Amino acid sequence: MTQPVVESIDIYGIGPDGEKVSWSSFLGPMYEAMIVVELTFDNGLVGVAGSTVYTEHEFDRSVVESASLMAPFLLGKGLFDIPKIYAECMSRYVPLKNVATSLFDIAMHDAKGKLLNLPIYKMLGQAQSRVRAYASSPLLEDNQQYIEYCHQMLAQGFNAIKIHPRCVFQEDYSLVKVLQEEFADQDIGWSLDVDANYNRQQALRMGRLLDKYEWDFFEEPLSDTDFEGYRYLSENLDIDIVAGGNAVPNLQLINQALQRGSWDRVRFDFTTIGGFTNGGRVMALSQAYGLKAEVQSWGYTLTQAANLHMMLSNANCEYFEQAAPYEKYEVGAKQVFRPDSEGFINPTELPGLGVELDWDVLDPLVYFHRRFSR
């Protein structure tokens, strides 16, 4: 059978004009770029993928340039050669190649799913039919705003919430107590993400408070690379300790952390870890250690879709992270993901990623476009 080959590649940097949020008082408003790649094959098939990139001051140009440096290696490649293509991309001298390779790997899987008329999670092997969502908060001004936010999210169908506090220890400690008192009579899956802004002593104190309240997990109390600090927390706290998942998008480094007992759950984003090809290896590694995978899926709909498909194809994923309010992240997507009446996210059941883009909406927001052809 003659396989389809990549005929042309389009790379887009898209700058949506929604409200700019942050997740720490030490960061400015984030310019959240939607990076999209489209692979067009010689039979007319189109595979698409998207990554959400967070920068201060202006929209990203590093990832679009990285993808542009990688794109020529994809031209003429066959759709059934995804593992070989992944290996070749990762062998190239391209900055940020883990992100660029992820985009192309996901787009190849999207095209393959469309060719087979299967959603990617079914193509990979279905393990779940839906995933419980948590509302992932932006940075807010004070305790009252966090209380109001949580009430709003519960009213929208969420039954789990992750708090991004101000990341100032004493303020955060007070906030956790206030939330616990306000919602003491409700069964909520709580988690806290402090963006690596604590020292070990502060992280231990906060962890003990979260243990007392039986919160689900404590994310990024320290820098991702502080394996020994994480091991210390994991050994001295009951709550699951989780890294941020951004600083070590590397299978070997993740394995080293797990060998040390640093993390209680593995955290990463399929749009930066190497797409489905390498992401599947990390999932297998986490399962070998008997750990849950706390997948990062903050971002635009294409980012959410890629992570959702891998979650559905593995049994050890408990939560889907949904940045909320979620409307700004739905821009240009004809299909979106929102919690059902029980607080779960369901796939669209369309083939591939299951998301179609509305270019009438996105075209005015494009700040970078480059095309490569054979």
Side-chain angles (χ1 to χ4, degrees):
M1 178 180 178
T2 302
Q3 64 175 323
V5 299
V6 178
E7 188 70 25
S8 65
I9 300 171
D10 287 277
I11 301 168
Y12 299 92
I14 300 168
D17 54 5
E19 179 185 359
K20 293 177 176 59
V21 302
S22 188
W23 39 86
S24 163
S25 61
F26 300 105
L27 298 172
M30 288 293 162
Y31 287 72
E32 295 176 276
M34 182 193 308
I35 311 303
V36 175
V37 300
E38 287 189 332
L39 308 181
T40 301
F41 292 79
D42 59 356
N43 65 348
L45 187 67
V46 178
V48 65
S51 181
T52 306
V53 182
Y54 327 102
T55 50
E56 297 177 82
H57 309 304
E58 62 181 75
F59 288 111
D60 168 77
R61 289 190 176 273
S62 59
V63 173
V64 290
E65 294 292 356
S66 176
S68 297
L69 291 170
M70 189 71 78
F73 301 118
L74 274 290
L75 293 174
K77 295 295 193 298
L79 181 57
F80 304 146
D81 296 329
I82 295 175
K84 290 172 57 178
I85 295 168
Y86 171 84
E88 179 175 358
C89 288
M90 289 302 293
S91 72
R92 297 296 178 175
Y93 282 86
V94 174
L96 298 178
K97 62 184 175 183
N98 61 300
V99 185
T101 301
S102 299
L103 283 165
F104 291 125
D105 185 87
I106 292 167
M108 293 290 285
H109 278 84
D110 179 56
K112 187 175 180 180
K114 289 171 179 174
L115 183 70
L116 299 176
N117 197 31
L118 286 172
I120 290 174
Y121 79 95
K122 290 185 177 179
M123 183 173 71
L124 296 177
Q126 179 179 353
Q128 304 187 74
S129 59
R130 59 180 189 165
V131 182
R132 185 183 179 191
Y134 66 76
S136 194
S137 85
L139 173 71
L140 299 172
E141 286 297 320
D142 53 41
N143 290 357
Q144 186 57 39
Q145 286 193 14
Y146 280 102
I147 289 172
E148 293 171 1
Y149 172 86
C150 293
H151 279 295
Q152 292 168 4
M153 294 302 106
L154 295 172
Q156 291 177 21
F158 292 98
N159 53 46
I161 299 173
K162 181 166 80 178
I163 298 296
H164 288 98
R166 296 186 60 75
C167 298
V168 178
F169 176 75
Q170 290 297 342
E171 294 183 28
D172 301 349
Y173 202 83
S174 171
L175 173 60
V176 169
K177 289 183 174 181
V178 166
L179 292 175
Q180 190 67 31
E181 180 178 355
E182 177 73 16
F183 299 96
D185 61 344
Q186 299 191 51
D187 184 16
I188 300 171
W190 291 108
S191 53
L192 185 71
D193 178 358
V194 298
D195 203 47
N197 281 295
Y198 290 177
N199 60 38
R200 293 186 186 183
Q201 291 72 30
Q202 291 170 332
L204 184 63
R205 281 190 63 197
M206 179 62 80
R208 285 174 173 161
L209 182 66
L210 300 180
D211 273 349
K212 176 182 175 181
Y213 295 145
E214 297 183 332
W215 282 36
D216 277 7
F217 65 90
F218 186 13
E219 182 179 328
E220 202 175 4
L222 310 171
S223 168
D224 281 5
T225 54
D226 186 1
F227 293 169
E228 290 307 306
Y230 273 102
R231 183 182 60 81
Y232 173 76
L233 294 177
S234 294
E235 289 177 348
N236 287 279
L237 295 170
D238 293 329
I239 190 170
D240 281 358
I241 304 300
V242 186
N246 295 312
V248 286
N250 179 283
L251 178 66
Q252 288 73 31
L253 289 176
I254 291 172
N255 187 42
Q256 288 183 31
L258 298 185
Q259 286 177 339
R260 287 175 167 83
S262 299
W263 307 326
D264 298 310
R265 303 187 190 188
V266 183
R267 182 166 171 81
F268 56 94
D269 181 339
F270 288 100
T271 67
T272 61
I273 197 71
F276 294 110
T277 297
N278 199 49
R281 297 166 185 164
V282 180
M283 291 299 299
L285 180 67
S286 64
Q287 291 168 8
Y289 281 92
L291 300 179
K292 294 178 182 177
E294 195 53 59
V295 176
Q296 177 177 313
S297 50
W298 177 297
Y300 297 106
T301 302
L302 283 176
T303 300
Q304 296 174 18
N307 285 289
L308 177 61
H309 280 282
M310 189 57 93
M311 292 180 212
L312 294 173
S313 65
N314 290 272
N316 63 325
C317 295
E318 180 180 7
Y319 281 124
F320 177 95
E321 178 179 23
Q322 186 162 55
Y326 39 66
E327 290 82 0
K328 68 166 283 187
Y329 298 101
E330 299 173 348
V331 61
K334 295 182 179 180
Q335 296 80 26
V336 299
F337 302 104
R338 294 187 179 183
D340 62 20
S341 60
E342 296 180 287
F344 285 79
I345 299 295
N346 297 270
T348 69
E349 296 302 342
L350 294 174
L353 288 173
V355 174
E356 301 166 306
L357 296 180
D358 186 343
W359 283 104
D360 289 338
V361 173
L362 294 177
D363 272 337
L365 306 174
V366 172
Y367 64 87
F368 178 99
H369 176 220
R370 191 168 178 189
R371 172 170 290 174
F372 297 82
S373 301
R374 284 210 295 168

